[in-house]
């Protein structure tokens, strides 16, 4: 049975395998443990076959010990609806990976130019405490990102147009057995489009 700090170490290793960031700094930031304690934990995880001898990648057993949740959206104006939805998504598993739509995809979805660029939106979402990793999506095929992340759960927001059947069938094509969860928002009237409608063009000056 893994303790909380071991689970965090495995989660950080998983994230660093995807984004290529320095593992030791990321673990120390998340765990609040000394370097010696972290090394001791990693030794134990290697002994129990959760981590490879390279000390930075997960074994198949290690990966299977994590429940990874994938969520996506435009996230142009972060509002309470987003926060609730992302908290609900994180509660479904151990790791929350969020995909922000590219600028071109955002225009297609929202019928307007996003206020923030895709890189700015990625930075905004990455700064949220419940998010473990934020990626910029693929324009041509959303399942490229799904295949990279290989989540156990794909969480859809209450207002997202993606249909469960489309997601499920796409996952089958990449041989991924993922559960699709539709999240409900307690603030369904809280949306970026409503905020922009309420404040009009003045929002661009905030």
């Amino acid at each position: 049975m893994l303790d909380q700090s071991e689970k965090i170490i495995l989660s950080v290793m998983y994230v660093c395998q995807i984004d290529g960031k320095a593992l030791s700094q990321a673990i120390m930031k998340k765990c609040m443990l000394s370097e010696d304690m972290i090394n001791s934990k990693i030794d134990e995880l290697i002994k129990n076959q959760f981590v490879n001898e390279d000390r930075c990648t997960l074994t198949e057993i290690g990966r299977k010990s994590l429940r990874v949740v994938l969520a996506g959206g435009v996230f142009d104006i972060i509002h309470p609806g987003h926060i609730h939805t992302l908290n609900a998504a994180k509660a479904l598993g151990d790791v929350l990976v969020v995909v922000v739509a590219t600028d071109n995809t955002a225009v297609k979805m929202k019928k307007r130019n996003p206020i923030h660029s895709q890189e700015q939106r990625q930075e905004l979402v990455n700064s949220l405490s419940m998010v473990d990793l934020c990626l910029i999506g693929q324009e041509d095929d959303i399942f490229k990102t799904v295949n990279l992340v290989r989540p156990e759960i794909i969480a859809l927001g209450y207002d997202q147009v993606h249909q469960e059947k489309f997601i499920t069938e796409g996952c089958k094509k990449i041989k991924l057995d993922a559960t699709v969860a539709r999240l409900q928002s307690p603030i369904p009237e809280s949306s970026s489009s409503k905020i922009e409608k309420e404040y009009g063009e003045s929002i661009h000056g905030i």
Side-chain angles (χ1 to χ4, degrees), residues 8 32 52 112 134 139 145 159 163 189 193:
I8 291 170
M32 301 299 179
N52 290 309
R112 59 173 171 79
C134 181
E139 286 184 12
T145 306
D159 61 346
Q163 296 302 309
E189 70 278 5
S193 54

Side-chain angles (χ1 to χ4, degrees), residues 185-204:
S185 173
I187 323 168
E189 70 278 5
S190 180
S191 68
S192 303
S193 54
K194 182 179 187 298
I195 292 168
E196 187 163 42
K197 185 178 178 183
E198 190 80 20
Y199 289 93
E201 289 299 311
S202 67
I203 198 165
H204 292 268

Side-chain angles (χ1 to χ4, degrees), residues 3-178:
D3 65 28
Q4 185 64 23
S5 59
E6 288 170 334
K7 203 78 172 228
I8 291 170
I9 289 169
L10 293 177
S11 298
V12 174
M13 282 185 179
Y14 164 79
V15 167
C16 288
Q17 276 181 244
I18 293 176
D19 70 5
K21 287 187 179 170
L23 179 64
S24 57
Q25 292 175 357
I27 291 176
M28 289 183 80
K29 187 178 176 183
K30 280 273 188 180
C31 273
M32 301 299 179
L33 295 175
S34 69
E35 195 171 349
D36 287 344
M37 183 65 78
I38 289 169
N39 283 326
S40 174
K41 293 277 186 186
I42 293 174
D43 288 339
E44 193 68 19
L45 289 167
I46 292 171
K47 180 183 168 186
N48 291 323
Q49 300 184 326
F50 287 92
V51 173
N52 290 309
E53 293 289 342
D54 63 7
R55 306 183 69 80
C56 61
T57 58
L58 303 179
T59 63
E60 191 176 341
I61 295 170
R63 177 60 186 85
K64 284 182 177 176
S65 72
L66 295 176
R67 284 170 66 82
V68 176
V69 183
L70 180 67
V74 175
F75 299 102
D76 194 22
I77 308 166
I78 302 293
H79 54 71
H82 285 138
I83 301 302
H84 172 82
T85 298
L86 292 177
N87 275 327
K90 180 60 181 281
L92 296 174
D94 305 301
V95 181
L96 176 59
V97 179
V98 178
V99 182
V100 296
T102 64
D103 290 339
N104 288 337
T105 301
V107 171
K108 289 176 189 172
M109 291 171 70
K110 300 290 188 180
K111 305 293 186 285
R112 59 173 171 79
N113 288 318
I115 296 168
H116 300 102
S117 71
Q118 58 196 36
E119 290 79 15
Q120 288 172 323
R121 290 182 282 114
Q122 181 187 28
E123 187 178 352
L124 280 168
V125 174
N126 255 329
S127 71
L128 299 174
S129 62
M130 79 292 281
V131 176
D132 295 287
L133 176 64
C134 181
L135 302 169
I136 296 171
Q138 302 274 347
E139 286 184 12
D140 53 339
D141 183 2
I142 67 166
F143 291 100
K144 284 183 181 177
T145 306
V146 175
N147 198 30
L148 173 69
V149 175
R150 305 291 294 179
E152 279 66 43
I153 300 166
I154 297 175
L156 299 179
Y158 69 95
D159 61 346
Q160 285 183 308
V161 295
H162 298 302
Q163 296 302 309
E164 285 89 337
K165 187 180 176 186
F166 168 73
I167 298 288
T168 303
E169 287 177 355
C171 287
K172 282 180 184 173
K173 288 177 184 174
I174 58 171
K175 295 180 171 56
L176 177 67
D177 183 21

